[in-house]
Amino acid sequence: MTTALGQQPWEPALSVRQVLTLERVLAGQPEVVAGAHRLDRPVRWVHVAEAADVGVMLTGGEMVLTTGVLLAGDEDKQGEYVRSLHRAEASAVVLGLGRAFPAPPDGMRRAAERCGLPMVVLHRPFPFAELTEEVQSRLLRRKFAAVSLSEAVRTELTGLITAGAPVQRLLDEVARHGGCPVVVTNLAHRVLATAGERAAVDDVLRDWERIARQAGAGSADGWVRAELSCRGERWGRLVLCGYRGERAAGRLLADRAAEALVLHRMLGGDGAHTQGPGGSWHSWEEQSARNLLTDLVSGAVPARQLLPRARAAGLPVNRRVFVPLVVRGGDAVLLDRVLRLLGLPGVAADLGDDCVTVLLSLAPDQDARALTAHLAARLRSEPDASRAVVAAADARAAWDDVPAGLREARHVADAVAGSAPGLDLPPVVRLRDIHLRGLVRLLRDDPRVQSFAERELDGLLGGPDEDLLAVLRTYLATGRNKSRTAQLHHVSRPALYRRLEAIQGRLGVDLDDFEQAASVHIALLAHDAQQG
């Protein structure tokens, strides 16, 4: 069996350098006489052997201990002995000086240097059994500790999945066990989720593209990757960033975390319901965008601190213009697809209340208004979004102004929510298009406004004929156009006149009087805003 990283099953290891620092080894006065640049090679086992053909007995990663008694006086044998160890992928050879070799043999040393095999000599007599016992006991303890960690993590993560915990909770636990940031990416290195201490995560994300490539090439110290796959197809990666424990233990931790994440998604956790090409889960991208936009809108995290996350998620942020949008009548998957079709960089997420929040990132020389209008038209050409309402704030040149822009776009979208049928709206609605409706929306929670709306509409609210309220809404929204109102409600003009008379009788107003009609209109706008 291989791990998720495509490596052989995990074996505990010490490096040659670590073995040479053990107290028992130091008592033998070790000296590295060849291969000093390869001292970080892993030692999987310690093997005592005097046979000249010891290489055939090895499987790789062994530190071979010898007195060289069978090699004395024969440089050819000495050279072949070292070459056989190199072919067997031994980690190092340790020669005890004494009767056979009172000084380091030049033949062995030269051969070891040519092969890049660390060669160590012990200047004082040293019981090889003590070294073997010391190294093997340490390896076994490390293996037991790592396996215990692996099983503890597996048990804990499985318990969280069984309890229905969100994926973020799983990642938080992995980060806690690893003592380092955890990042989940797609195959293009775009960040889908993170966990760990916020400052440490931000440090990782600040230059994510460069360090992600280094990690992929195996050149980043302490970065441990595990592949995420479903039905044999890779769709992402989990990365432990700057893991300071034993690398092999880190691989086990990453593998257990990857298993848990894949299981979580397969069981439909966090609303994972669609699977894309190659086993990728749309909900990962959605969740990443949702978290970013939620933090921007709420203002809980300063916008500048969110820049690394936005950049790592694939949103261009350097020398860009940002266009905040809120769309009613669409969904995030559809918006994301339309953005890709039009080649518009941006993120989209459903933040609730039938609203999809979108943040476009455009070059300064692009026409933000024209592109926004093109996006709105393309969106409405989709059968499932033909009546979508696109609300926009003015483009923001500074990232710090994006949160206010997103809130403005949401305010505009809320102001036109539940608009009367036939209300003429521009292709893209902006703050200046909502006029009185926008002001009333802002004041909707004021008790005095609520009391005013109840008082003005008392004769219609809670009555048996809800159709009268709808007729009133349309009549006022169309500028008291009786023909248009009758047409929209599919009634004759005489029938409409009777309903308008009933409305005026119940409210005790004259709708032909501008001031009274305006008062009722404002009350109705306030009522609708409160209901929304």
Side-chain angles (χ1 to χ4, degrees):
M1 184 185 79
T2 60
T3 69
L5 294 173
Q7 297 164 325
Q8 294 303 312
W10 177 78
E11 293 283 355
L14 295 166
S15 68
V16 175
R17 191 187 310 277
Q18 287 173 316
V19 171
L20 297 181
T21 61
L22 297 179
E23 188 175 348
R24 289 187 180 183
V25 179
L26 291 174
Q29 296 182 357
E31 178 189 1
V32 179
V33 297
H37 62 293
R38 303 294 299 276
L39 295 182
D40 290 322
R41 300 178 77 177
V43 177
R44 184 182 57 82
W45 206 244
V46 176
H47 190 70
V48 180
E50 299 292 352
D53 59 349
V54 65
V56 300
M57 307 176 190
L58 306 179
T59 59
E62 295 90 352
M63 174 180 277
V64 177
L65 311 181
T66 182
T67 62
V69 66
L70 300 180
L71 305 175
D74 192 332
E75 283 201 5
D76 290 339
K77 279 188 177 180
Q78 295 168 20
E80 179 55 30
Y81 180 82
V82 170
R83 287 189 290 273
S84 71
L85 294 180
H86 173 64
R87 289 192 295 270
E89 298 183 347
S91 60
V93 59
V94 177
L95 175 66
L97 300 181
R99 185 168 51 184
F101 290 105
D106 285 340
M108 288 183 69
R109 185 186 57 77
R110 287 195 298 270
E113 193 64 49
R114 283 194 296 270
C115 293
L117 177 71
M119 177 177 173
V120 181
V121 297
L122 300 174
H123 288 278
R124 295 187 61 181
F126 185 88
F128 284 169
E130 289 188 11
L131 174 57
T132 302
E133 178 186 9
E134 176 75 10
V135 173
Q136 313 304 43
S137 64
R138 285 177 178 266
L139 293 176
L140 287 173
R141 287 198 301 270
R142 289 154 68 95
K143 181 174 183 178
F144 178 77
V147 170
S148 296
L149 170 64
S150 173
E151 290 308 309
V153 171
R154 173 181 278 156
T155 300
E156 186 170 352
L157 296 184
T158 301
L160 289 174
I161 294 172
T162 303
V167 70
Q168 187 62 50
R169 176 73 187 283
L170 271 65
L171 292 175
D172 289 341
E173 285 303 309
V174 175
R176 184 178 67 81
H177 280 288
C180 65
V182 177
V183 176
V184 177
T185 76
N186 63 14
L187 297 181
H189 302 300
R190 290 194 174 184
V191 174
L192 305 179
T194 62
E197 185 183 347
R198 187 75 265 162
V201 171
D202 287 345
D203 285 343
V204 167
L205 297 184
R206 194 161 285 114
D207 196 14
W208 173 252
E209 276 197 33
R210 180 183 62 81
I211 55 183
R213 284 195 297 271
Q214 288 182 349
S219 58
D221 182 38
W223 284 56
V224 186
R225 298 191 310 159
E227 302 295 337
L228 300 172
S229 62
C230 183
R231 297 178 177 89
E233 295 289 338
R234 293 188 303 125
W235 58 270
R237 298 182 181 92
L238 178 141
V239 187
L240 304 183
C241 307
Y243 181 74
R244 295 306 174 195
E246 295 296 332
R247 185 169 183 83
R251 287 204 298 270
L252 275 180
L253 175 60
D255 288 343
R256 296 297 84 80
E259 290 172 4
L261 293 185
V262 171
L263 177 60
H264 188 274
R265 308 313 295 177
M266 291 180 68
L267 293 177
D270 285 357
H273 57 278
T274 55
Q275 187 181 6
S280 64
W281 294 93
H282 291 306
S283 59
W284 279 103
E285 283 82 0
E286 292 170 17
Q287 186 64 47
S288 174
R290 185 181 302 119
N291 290 342
L292 174 63
L293 292 174
T294 297
D295 286 345
L296 279 170
V297 171
S298 69
V301 181
R304 188 160 297 279
Q305 292 184 22
L306 296 172
L307 262 175
R309 283 170 55 188
R311 185 183 295 110
L315 186 72
V317 295
N318 294 331
R319 295 183 295 278
R320 307 293 287 188
V321 171
F322 304 98
V323 182
L325 307 172
V326 170
V327 179
R328 285 191 178 274
D331 64 72
V333 175
L334 176 59
L335 261 297
D336 186 66
R337 182 163 63 84
V338 171
L339 290 177
R340 293 176 190 273
L341 285 173
L342 298 179
L344 294 176
V347 291
D350 184 350
L351 300 191
D353 295 332
D354 191 33
C355 280
V356 178
T357 299
V358 183
L359 181 61
L360 301 182
S361 174
L362 306 177
D365 59 350
Q366 290 181 291
D367 189 333
R369 285 182 173 270
L371 288 174
T372 303
H374 185 43
L375 169 64
R378 182 63 182 81
L379 176 64
R380 292 194 190 97
S381 70
E382 297 286 337
D384 296 335
S386 59
R387 302 185 65 180
V389 175
V390 179
D394 290 335
R396 263 53 178 178
W399 175 259
D400 286 344
D401 295 334
V402 167
L406 289 170
R407 290 191 287 270
E408 179 183 315
R410 179 57 185 262
H411 167 62
V412 174
D414 287 346
V416 297
S419 299
L423 180 65
D424 291 329
L425 294 173
V428 178
V429 188
R430 291 183 167 83
L431 191 59
R432 68 165 177 264
D433 299 317
I434 59 176
H435 307 295
L436 178 62
R437 186 181 298 272
L439 175 63
V440 171
R441 187 80 186 185
L442 285 175
L443 301 175
R444 62 178 175 172
D445 293 326
D446 190 307
R448 292 168 294 182
V449 173
Q450 295 171 355
S451 176
F452 169 75
E454 291 286 329
R455 185 172 62 252
E456 289 291 300
L457 301 175
D458 183 58
L460 292 180
L461 297 179
D465 193 355
E466 288 292 330
D467 182 56
L468 292 180
L469 197 62
V471 169
L472 175 63
R473 183 180 292 111
T474 305
Y475 179 62
L476 295 174
T478 58
R480 296 183 291 173
N481 186 321
K482 295 182 175 65
S483 297
R484 182 63 175 153
T485 302
Q487 181 185 12
L488 290 172
H489 283 271
H490 308 289
V491 298
S492 65
R493 289 281 293 265
L496 176 66
Y497 295 155
R498 289 193 294 271
R499 295 184 186 187
L500 290 176
E501 289 174 2
I503 291 171
Q504 294 181 104
R506 292 192 182 187
L507 297 182
V509 298
D510 178 6
L511 292 179
D512 289 329
D513 180 86
F514 176 79
E515 184 174 340
Q516 294 183 53
S519 181
V520 172
H521 193 187
I522 293 171
L524 187 57
L525 290 176
H527 169 74
D528 289 346
Q530 292 158 15
Q531 296 302 307

